[in-house]
């Protein structure tokens, strides 16, 4: 394969096309503008409100409070070429276009999260299995009070990580090979919420970063269970490369404590390494991308005062087409000041 030049098929060739998934950033206020030939699968509203509902058009919508003055407020809209069916199950909401499943859920604040996180993520995994979309390729985990402490003295993020690890273990054994690209990030609200994307037939390839210890191998000093995610996931066909939330971590250690500009440079170097070729080659994939290829970038900034510096460094590295959005939330370690995620679209295809 895998990522090279896709020649257009000869005229008259029958092509069995899967519905194609895309995302764009829309204004937070109002309903997403309809795109000809496309249907909304689900949306995530990054503003000041928390909630899980079907919007007035019947699309699943998770709203997460992550914005503040001077930062961005926007809506991430996932669209597809096939008309989805929607539903809810055990408090989760979903939309299914026959190939892609969007699932969102929320967990109310509680003294200890792990058992409820485990149960809720198991429900999500069973929904994924029941609907025949067992290839989970991207997750977002939004954790309120992420740096706080639960009633047993464990950090809220580690409490969350434990419950999620148990859900992965009960569904997927050690989970390796099933853990997708993910973001685990703070919010400005309470409780935990999440979105997952899964595919029926497309096959996800989960990738690691040569500069970073796989999160699922982090040593125990960070918490009782290691985090369940991969650094990136490539979905074929289509070739979209989903880049996980990436922080200023080399090996498993935070680097440049207290220096937000230096942390931002390390994050960008980490992403450049991940999408640049060698990390793909380790997974047996050809090709490579540059930072300027990153799209739908989200930059999570811990401190409001750091926004100008982070914006300057990212603006230089990412270029205008990344449509970079900045959100004001804590990252999962007290010493991490910035985290960045995004995706690299697959090679252009014949229509
Ligand atoms: C890190 O590399 C930074 O727990 O799902 C990044 C992406 C991070 C996802 C998660 C956490 C998660 O460990 C934090």
């Amino acid at each position: 394969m895998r990522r090279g030049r896709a020649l257009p098929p000869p005229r008259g060739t029958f092509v069995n096309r899967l519905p194609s998934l895309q995302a764009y950033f829309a204004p937070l206020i109002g309903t997403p503008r309809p795109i000809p030939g496309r249907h909304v699968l689900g949306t995530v509203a990054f503003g000041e409100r928390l909630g899980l509902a079907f919007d007035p058009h019947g699309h699943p919508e998770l709203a997460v409070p992550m914005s503040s003055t001077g930062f961005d407020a926007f809506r991430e809209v996932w669209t597809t070429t096939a008309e989805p069916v929607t539903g809810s199950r055990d408090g989760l909401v979903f939309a299914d276009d026959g190939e892609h499943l969007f699932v969102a859920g929320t967990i109310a604040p509680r003294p200890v999260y792990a058992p409820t996180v485990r149960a809720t993520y198991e429900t999500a995994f069973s929904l994924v299995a029941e609907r025949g979309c067992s290839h989970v390729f991207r997750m977002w985990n939004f954790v309120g009070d992420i740096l706080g402490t639960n009633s047993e003295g464990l950090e809220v993020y580690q409490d969350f990580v434990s419950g999620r690890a148990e859900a992965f273990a009960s569904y997927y054994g050690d989970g390796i090979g099933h853990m997708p690209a993910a973001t685990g990030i703070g919010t400005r609200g309470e409780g935990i919420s999440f979105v997952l994307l899964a595919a029926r037939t497309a096959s996800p390839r989960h990738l690691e970063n040569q500069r970073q210890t796989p999160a699922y191998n982090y040593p125990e000093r960070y918490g009782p269970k290691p985090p369940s995610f991969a650094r990136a996931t490539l979905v074929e066909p289509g070739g979209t490369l989903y880049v996980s939330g990436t922080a200023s971590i080399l090996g498993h250690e935070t680097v440049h404590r207290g220096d937000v500009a230096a942390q931002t440079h390390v994050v960008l170097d980490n992403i450049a390494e991940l999408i640049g070729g060698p990390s793909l080659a380790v997974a047996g994939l050809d090709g490579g991308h540059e930072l300027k290829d990153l799209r739908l970038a989200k930059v999570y900034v811990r401190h409001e005062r750091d926004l100008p510096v982070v914006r300057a460094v990212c603006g230089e590295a990412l270029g205008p087409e990344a449509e970079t959005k900045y959100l004001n939330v804590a990252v999962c370690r007290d010493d991490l000041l910035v985290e960045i995620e995004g995706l690299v679209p697959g090679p252009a295809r014949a229509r």
Side-chain angles (χ1 to χ4, degrees), residues 264-320:
T264 308
H265 283 290
V266 171
V267 174
L268 292 166
D269 290 348
N270 282 351
I271 295 177
E273 157 68 34
L274 182 61
I275 68 178
S279 290
L280 297 176
V282 168
L285 303 170
D286 298 332
H289 309 278
E290 295 176 359
L291 276 178
K292 300 265 187 230
D293 298 323
L294 201 69
R295 297 288 178 271
L296 302 177
K298 296 191 200 89
V299 181
Y300 304 102
V301 182
R302 168 95 183 262
H303 299 296
E304 194 180 323
R305 62 172 182 273
D306 290 339
L307 179 59
V309 171
V310 175
R311 196 191 280 282
V313 175
C314 291
E316 176 89 8
L318 296 181

Side-chain angles (χ1 to χ4, degrees), residues 141 157 164 182-184 218 227 229 231 244-245 247 249 332 336 339:
N141 309 280
Y157 174 65
R164 177 179 57 174
T183 296
Y218 280 174
F229 70 96
R231 299 295 175 184
S244 293
I249 296 173
C332 64
L336 291 174
E339 184 171 304

Side-chain angles (χ1 to χ4, degrees), residues 58-133:
H59 311 305
E61 180 202 75
L62 176 68
V64 226
M66 298 180 78
S67 186
S68 72
T69 310
F71 286 78
D72 295 309
F74 60 100
R75 182 181 296 276
E76 184 170 76
V77 183
W78 290 92
T79 69
T80 171
T81 46
E83 187 161 357
V85 298
T86 59
S88 50
R89 202 195 113 176
D90 298 327
L92 306 183
V93 302
F94 66 87
D96 184 343
D97 72 357
E99 169 63 17
H100 305 101
L101 181 62
F102 174 104
V103 180
T106 55
I107 297 169
R110 52 212 336 115
V112 174
Y113 276 111
T116 311
V117 167
R118 175 183 177 157
T120 307
Y121 280 56
E122 285 181 356
T123 302
F125 292 151
S126 68
L127 180 59
V128 156
E130 265 165 36
R131 301 204 66 86
C133 290

Side-chain angles (χ1 to χ4, degrees), residues 111-165:
V112 174
Y113 276 111
T116 311
V117 167
R118 175 183 177 157
T120 307
Y121 280 56
E122 285 181 356
T123 302
F125 292 151
S126 68
L127 180 59
V128 156
E130 265 165 36
R131 301 204 66 86
C133 290
S134 54
H135 302 134
V136 178
F137 60 88
R138 186 65 168 96
M139 295 184 88
W140 288 265
N141 309 280
F142 304 111
V143 182
D145 194 26
I146 190 167
L147 295 173
T149 305
N150 77 3
S151 67
E152 294 174 347
L154 186 65
E155 205 174 76
V156 169
Y157 174 65
Q158 296 303 339
D159 187 4
F160 158 76
V161 161
S162 291
R164 177 179 57 174

Side-chain angles (χ1 to χ4, degrees), residues 237-250:
T240 304
L241 181 59
Y242 295 89
V243 177
S244 293
T246 304
S248 181
I249 296 173
L250 294 176

